Amino acid sequence: MNLRFVVSLIWAALVAPAFAQDKNAPTLDELVAKNIEAKGGAEALRALQSLRSNGKMIVNEGQLQLAYLQTKKRPGEVRTELTIQGMTAVDAYDGKEGWKISPFQGRKDPEKMSADDVKPLMEDAEIDGPLVDWKAKESTLEYLGQEDVDGTSAYKIKVVRKNGDVSFVYLDPDHFLEIRILTQRIRHGAQEEVETDISDYEKIGGVFVPFSIEAGRKGDPDKQKIVIEKAEANAPVEDAIFHFPASASK
């Protein structure tokens, strides 16, 4: 038998299963739809107008623990408070500008944030995550196939946000919920890569939200871990808590 013909047969045998597997792979639209459904469905997501989460943040390889409180409110507001030894640090974003109080650095008065420092807060403010309503957010999405995430062959979706930041979203193949988000952005002239592992989803107000969030620079073994102990959907939230304090601007 002709050697070239034999090689062709072997190649066809090897490629055919892979081709069949790719042909049966979900499309980008299907993955986004499954993600929305996994979180509770579009109707439940729309009904979730605010989310308040209480818990703790663990840092310095578990040596330091801070009380954690985060409040999110549509359409894109967030406020995070970290408290230890009577001091409370605040990061807040009202949909237009961000500000902070940094008592751990000796600054007890509110300060406005730079545009670069606001970027992570804009992402934190998303109650639904980066995939839901991506067209309305003027993001672009691309499905990149499957990739191993700590032993799980996760679906990988590239998200390019309106501001140019890039996030790689990894969905669990069984439940279609986010298990990791790797974000690349330019901050203060330098490239930054932040890896966030997400787990322990619980249903709050009809929507599944993560109760464990571990984040830090990619490759850094000492990541900060947030453990949610209680979450409340649609609690009354005053818009004023997100805005730069009027007394500080005088």
Side-chain angles (χ1 to χ4, degrees):
M1 185 180 290
N2 185 282
L3 180 59
R4 183 177 296 177
F5 181 67
V6 172
V7 172
S8 298
L9 287 176
I10 295 172
W11 176 252
L14 291 172
V15 170
F19 178 77
Q21 185 177 11
D22 290 342
K23 192 175 181 180
N24 294 327
T27 65
L28 175 63
D29 288 341
E30 288 172 341
L31 286 173
V32 172
K34 287 178 179 293
N35 179 249
I36 293 171
E37 193 61 31
K39 288 181 176 180
E43 186 175 341
L45 286 167
R46 283 193 295 268
L48 184 60
Q49 291 296 305
S50 69
L51 181 66
R52 179 181 292 148
S53 304
N54 289 274
K56 57 189 177 184
M57 176 183 283
I58 304 166
V59 296
N60 292 348
E61 298 181 342
Q63 298 180 33
L64 194 62
Q65 184 172 300
L66 301 89
Y68 173 90
L69 170 63
Q70 184 178 77
T71 306
K72 299 182 182 185
K73 185 178 181 180
R74 294 192 190 276
E77 299 174 303
V78 64
R79 178 186 174 111
T80 304
E81 300 179 16
L82 297 172
T83 302
I84 190 172
Q85 296 180 351
M87 295 187 295
T88 298
V90 177
D91 283 346
Y93 176 65
D94 63 5
K96 294 181 180 179
E97 64 177 8
W99 57 277
K100 62 184 177 179
I101 300 175
S102 309
F104 308 142
Q105 285 79 45
R107 297 192 294 273
K108 298 184 179 180
D109 295 325
E111 304 171 286
K112 291 189 177 182
M113 288 185 175
S114 69
D116 277 359
D117 289 334
V118 165
K119 287 181 176 181
L121 271 66
M122 295 170 68
E123 295 173 21
D124 283 347
E126 294 177 337
I127 291 178
D128 307 325
L131 302 184
V132 179
D133 292 331
W134 61 273
K135 291 181 181 178
K137 296 171 185 174
E138 298 183 53
S139 298
T140 60
L141 267 58
E142 181 184 0
Y143 174 44
L144 301 179
Q146 291 181 262
E147 187 173 306
D148 181 79
V149 176
D150 298 333
T152 297
S153 183
Y155 295 112
K156 182 179 182 180
I157 298 173
K158 181 181 180 181
V159 180
V160 181
R161 297 175 181 273
K162 183 180 178 180
N163 64 5
D165 289 355
V166 177
S167 292
F168 296 94
V169 179
Y170 297 86
L171 301 181
D172 178 87
D174 297 319
H175 305 290
F176 300 97
L177 292 168
E178 292 91 339
I179 56 174
R180 174 173 290 172
I181 299 176
L182 176 64
T183 298
Q184 300 172 340
R185 63 170 68 94
I186 301 296
R187 286 184 68 188
H188 308 298
Q191 175 80 12
E192 177 184 76
E193 277 192 308
V194 178
E195 189 174 74
T196 305
D197 288 335
I198 309 161
S199 60
D200 297 344
Y201 282 84
E202 295 193 22
K203 203 168 192 178
I204 304 297
V207 174
F208 281 98
V209 297
F211 269 49
S212 178
I213 304 163
E214 196 166 347
R217 292 184 181 273
K218 185 180 179 182
D220 188 349
D222 183 22
K223 292 183 170 68
Q224 64 184 29
K225 184 172 184 179
I226 297 167
V227 178
I228 304 302
E229 297 167 344
K230 179 184 177 182
E232 186 177 2
N234 296 325
V237 179
E238 294 293 333
D239 281 333
I241 70 169
F242 305 106
H243 296 297
F244 189 75
S247 57
S249 58
K250 291 181 180 179

